[in-house]
Amino acid sequence: MSVEKMTKVEESFQRVMGLKKMVDRWRNAHTDCLWQMTLAQRRNPYATLKMQDTMAQELALAKKQLLRVRQAALHQLFEKEYQQYQRELNQIGKAFYVERL
């Protein structure tokens, strides 16, 4: 092999080794992070339970809020359709029956 090919092979090898080291560092950091998380969960199970309860409460409140928003949007849609029907009936000389007290 020529010297030029050898340097290219060495550069490729160095690049591959650099990537391998980067992947190994990432795997070690990921493993360490998972280990720390499980260690914290084992140390304080009550904090984990409290956090899960808080998340469940927040989820229930978010569901209620979403329901209210959807109900308001549906109400607006019905009101808009009612106004449209009223305009159409007025154009042909008719109206909705409204009982007065």
Side-chain angles (χ1 to χ4, degrees):
M1 275 212 270
S2 69
V3 176
E4 199 173 286
K5 286 184 181 179
M6 288 295 289
T7 57
K8 286 184 181 181
V9 169
E10 287 176 8
E11 287 174 6
S12 294
F13 180 73
Q14 293 296 328
R15 199 174 317 131
V16 168
M17 291 306 294
L19 291 173
K20 184 181 180 316
K21 287 179 184 179
M22 183 177 68
V23 169
D24 288 341
R25 284 193 301 263
W26 181 85
R27 281 187 183 149
N28 289 338
H30 186 269
T31 303
D32 188 46
C33 182
L34 291 175
W35 181 76
Q36 289 290 338
M37 286 172 45
T38 55
L39 184 63
Q41 288 174 351
R42 281 191 225 136
R43 276 190 201 151
N44 200 351
Y46 296 110
T48 303
L49 290 174
K50 185 177 178 183
M51 185 172 52
Q52 287 174 348
D53 184 47
T54 303
M55 287 190 309
Q57 289 175 354
E58 287 178 2
L59 185 60
L61 290 174
K63 285 181 181 179
K64 284 182 183 179
Q65 185 64 27
L66 179 61
L67 179 65
R68 288 182 181 149
V69 168
R70 292 178 70 190
Q71 284 174 341
L74 188 59
H75 180 71
Q76 286 179 350
L77 178 65
F78 286 153
E79 184 64 31
K80 189 177 179 181
E81 286 180 355
Y82 177 80
Q83 296 295 328
Q84 179 64 30
Y85 292 145
Q86 193 172 24
R87 280 192 296 269
E88 289 175 8
L89 288 174
N90 285 338
Q91 286 177 355
I92 60 173
K94 297 183 179 181
F96 286 117
Y97 173 75
V98 178
E99 185 176 340
R100 297 184 185 182
L101 297 177

